[in-house]
Amino acid sequence: MTTATLNTHTFEFISKLIRTKAAIVLEPTKAYLVESRLNPVARDNGFDSLEKLVLELQRPGSQKLTQQVVEAMTTNETSFFRDLHPFDALKQQILPELIEKRSKERTLTIWSNACSSGQEVYTIAMIIREHFPELLNWKLKLIASDLSTQILDKARQGTFNQTEVSRGLPMPLLIKNFVKNGLTWQIKEDIRKMVDFRVINLVEPFPIMPTPDIVFLRNVLIYFAPEMKRDILNKVRKVMKPDGYLFLGGAETTMNLNVAFERTQIGKAVCYKP
Ligand SMILES: C[S@@+](CC[C@H](N)C(=O)[O-])C[C@H]1O[C@@H](n2cnc3c(N)ncnc32)[C@H](O)[C@@H]1O
């Protein structure tokens, strides 16, 4: 028995499914998380136990339920201006440098990967509007992707509660860029329209897309096994511009995973050159 109510077979089935579909590694110590996240999914689909949910997942034609289970097991923690330093580096060095380098083709692509509810890409969009408005006349592509269709719907809508806007977002930017609807705040339409939200699963081959100059891939590799991190970093390096920049989360690194990426410090931010 893994916990009082979750048997080993059920846990192992779920953990294998999540690893195959999303690369997320669930150690047996995470059995409590499986229960707390999947009991509501089981209930909503009319099953009175996780064992019955697992039986259904093994039947052909259960793709929709499988997607619900995978999405329920993702962690969507994020915030505006998360960790601050990468955005300072973007503002003070990376964007000025790339604006100069790309001044002929006037094309710039930024990819916010595993974007969750969109705070990261909206932070980037606000920085651009605030400090680099000339980019709005370029072929500027802000691509934001995640495997979860549910979280992407929230991101596309750009509606945040008071707690979400209170985390990291300076008050003047809130007032300037959001509209208050009752208890929530919606980011203005012209900012929402700047972003191309897409479903992209890091486990799968990347779709054809404009070559990113800057990639944010933060706070997602931590959930994966080393061989999967290696594979994803290789894929990212292959698709990005050779003079571009990669940002990882504060607890993530390319060290021992991909020797080709060169670690660079910009102010207090760490980023990687392909
Ligand atoms: C903790 S959030 C990080 C959000 C944002 N990058 C940040 O740093 O604030 C992790 C996100 O990764 C997404 N995710 C997990 N596995 C994924 C995969 N295999 N492919 C794409 N996205 C994935 C989850 O759905 C979730 O929204």
Side-chain angles (χ1 to χ4, degrees):
M1 289 288 266
T2 307
T3 70
T5 53
L6 187 64
N7 69 44
T8 308
H9 168 74
T10 303
F11 176 78
E12 279 173 0
F13 179 87
I14 299 283
S15 125
K16 195 165 162 215
L17 181 80
I18 302 300
R19 192 164 173 148
T20 313
K21 299 282 178 193
I24 298 168
V25 178
L26 291 171
E27 301 294 350
T29 52
K30 291 283 164 70
Y32 73 94
L33 198 67
V34 171
E35 281 188 280
S36 64
R37 300 267 184 93
L38 295 190
N39 274 330
V41 177
R43 235 185 357 257
D44 291 350
N45 284 280
F47 304 110
D48 60 13
S49 70
L50 290 187
E51 286 69 34
K52 288 188 184 151
L53 177 76
V54 163
L55 278 179
E56 185 62 25
L57 288 168
Q58 293 175 63
R59 298 226 300 226
S62 61
Q63 291 89 336
K64 197 167 155 239
L65 188 61
T66 300
Q67 179 70 11
Q68 276 182 44
V69 165
V70 172
E71 294 197 6
M73 289 311 304
T74 60
T75 297
N76 303 121
E77 166 70 16
T78 188
S79 57
F80 291 101
F81 288 89
R82 184 173 189 176
D83 301 337
L84 200 60
H85 305 312
F87 303 103
D88 285 342
L90 200 63
K91 191 168 88 185
Q92 280 150 22
Q93 182 173 324
I94 296 175
L95 283 175
E97 175 192 309
L98 291 178
I99 286 173
E100 202 179 315
K101 277 190 168 172
R102 311 280 190 262
S103 62
K104 279 212 179 84
E105 65 264 42
R106 291 162 68 83
T107 299
L108 193 76
T109 300
I110 303 177
W111 182 17
S112 167
N113 208 319
C115 68
S116 188
S117 37
Q119 283 92 323
E120 179 176 85
V121 75
Y122 287 137
T123 300
I124 298 167
M126 285 187 280
I127 289 173
I128 288 173
R129 294 177 81 84
E130 204 62 22
H131 302 281
F132 307 96
E134 66 272 33
L135 281 178
L136 301 175
N137 298 318
W138 283 32
K139 269 182 252 148
L140 172 69
K141 289 248 170 237
L142 299 185
I143 300 168
S145 63
D146 201 283
L147 71 64
S148 164
T149 50
Q150 220 179 331
I151 205 72
L152 282 172
D153 284 344
K154 176 171 161 55
R156 258 184 221 109
Q157 212 194 2
T159 298
F160 302 97
N161 64 29
Q162 190 62 47
T163 311
E164 289 168 322
V165 295
S166 304
R167 292 181 62 202
L169 184 63
M171 184 59 82
L173 289 182
L174 174 65
I175 302 298
K176 191 168 172 183
N177 297 305
F178 289 74
V179 177
K180 193 155 198 269
N181 290 327
L183 292 176
T184 59
W185 297 82
Q186 186 173 32
I187 195 151
K188 287 186 176 164
E189 194 185 0
D190 44 7
I191 305 183
R192 275 183 279 138
K193 275 187 171 159
M194 289 170 69
V195 186
D196 174 7
F197 286 103
R198 300 183 182 192
V199 176
I200 298 179
N201 186 340
L202 286 159
V203 173
E204 291 167 7
F206 293 158
I208 292 172
M209 63 168 135
T211 307
D213 298 277
I214 305 168
V215 179
F216 283 76
L217 177 68
R218 301 193 308 152
N219 304 301
V220 64
L221 293 183
I222 31 166
Y223 300 106
F224 300 162
E227 67 274 19
M228 185 53 73
K229 295 184 196 190
R230 244 176 236 124
D231 183 41
I232 292 167
L233 285 169
N234 275 335
K235 285 199 295 186
V236 168
R237 189 169 170 272
K238 278 197 191 129
V239 297
M240 65 187 291
K241 282 265 170 69
D243 62 348
Y245 290 90
L246 167 72
F247 284 102
L248 300 177
E252 295 160 336
T253 172
T254 59
M255 215 180 5
N256 300 325
L257 297 171
N258 188 310
V259 291
F261 274 110
E262 189 192 327
R263 187 184 186 278
T264 314
Q265 178 115 19
I266 301 178
K268 289 186 177 160
V270 170
C271 56
Y272 300 87
K273 305 275 299 162

